[in-house]
Amino acid sequence: MISMTEVIGYVAATLTTVSFLPQAILTIKTRDTSSLSLSMYSIFTLGVFCWLIYGVYISDKAIIAANAITFILSGIILIYKIHNILTKKN
Amino acid sequence: MISMTEVIGYVAATLTTVSFLPQAILTIKTRDTSSLSLSMYSIFTLGVFCWLIYGVYISDKAIIAANAITFILSGIILIYKIHNILTKKN
């Protein structure tokens, strides 16, 4: 039987992973990144990449899957931000 | 001795936690939340709160500390976003 603690852990992991989807969709749609922090997305994307490596090291499929998804979403937002800075849009 | 895997885990946790600080500072300074997704910050803040409860359940101080910090930072950004929506600033 799955414990209450495990359920909370899975809910937490799902929410923090899924949350970046609406931000990525909003950024792709509007191309507006003016109020997004470049530092945040640089540090966060690097951090999620480290979580991915950590998941591979300890062979934890849940950590690998969650962070692979977040890495892609966060990476997309970061690329838009960098593109906008380079093209002087913000 | 601390293992390479543990080091990567700590680096990952530190980066993903710390990353929300520059975003919170930018949001407080500029008060601009136009390109921030309300859905993202609502879901993410709730998710981090679940991680916090999870940390309390399994008595893991690292999970509690990291998620308490992220909860505060993410919560501040969410409050600014909601305030701007309510005052029709975006």
Side-chain angles (χ1 to χ4, degrees):
Chain A
M1 237 255 340
I2 190 164
S3 72
M4 187 60 188
T5 311
E6 280 179 289
V7 171
I8 295 172
Y10 282 120
V11 169
T14 304
L15 291 176
T16 49
T17 301
V18 162
S19 67
F20 281 85
L21 188 62
Q23 180 65 66
I25 291 171
L26 183 74
T27 305
I28 293 168
K29 264 189 183 170
T30 63
R31 294 170 176 266
D32 179 14
T33 59
S34 57
S35 57
L36 298 182
S37 161
L38 173 67
S39 305
M40 176 196 152
Y41 279 95
S42 306
I43 299 168
F44 187 81
T45 307
L46 183 65
V48 171
F49 184 70
C50 289
W51 274 124
L52 196 58
I53 296 172
Y54 179 78
V56 171
Y57 262 94
I58 66 165
S59 306
D60 186 312
K61 280 180 192 166
I63 294 180
I64 295 171
N67 287 287
I69 294 168
T70 313
F71 179 72
I72 292 168
L73 296 172
S74 171
I76 289 171
I77 299 164
L78 178 61
I79 289 168
Y80 269 87
K81 180 69 190 177
I82 293 171
H83 175 264
N84 283 349
I85 289 172
L86 293 178
T87 56
K88 306 264 182 357
K89 274 175 196 153
N90 56 70
Chain B
M1 242 298 280
I2 190 164
S3 71
M4 186 62 188
T5 311
E6 280 179 287
V7 171
I8 295 172
Y10 282 120
V11 169
T14 305
L15 290 176
T16 50
T17 301
V18 162
S19 67
F20 281 84
L21 188 63
Q23 179 67 65
I25 292 171
L26 183 75
T27 305
I28 293 167
K29 264 190 184 170
T30 63
R31 292 169 177 266
D32 179 14
T33 60
S34 58
S35 56
L36 298 183
S37 162
L38 173 66
S39 305
M40 176 195 152
Y41 280 94
S42 307
I43 300 168
F44 187 81
T45 307
L46 183 65
V48 171
F49 185 70
C50 289
W51 274 125
L52 196 57
I53 295 171
Y54 178 78
V56 172
Y57 261 95
I58 66 166
S59 306
D60 186 313
K61 280 180 192 165
I63 293 180
I64 295 170
N67 287 287
I69 295 168
T70 312
F71 179 73
I72 293 168
L73 295 172
S74 172
I76 290 171
I77 299 165
L78 178 62
I79 289 167
Y80 270 89
K81 179 70 190 178
I82 293 170
H83 175 265
N84 282 349
I85 289 172
L86 293 177
T87 56
K88 305 267 182 353
K89 275 177 196 152
N90 57 68

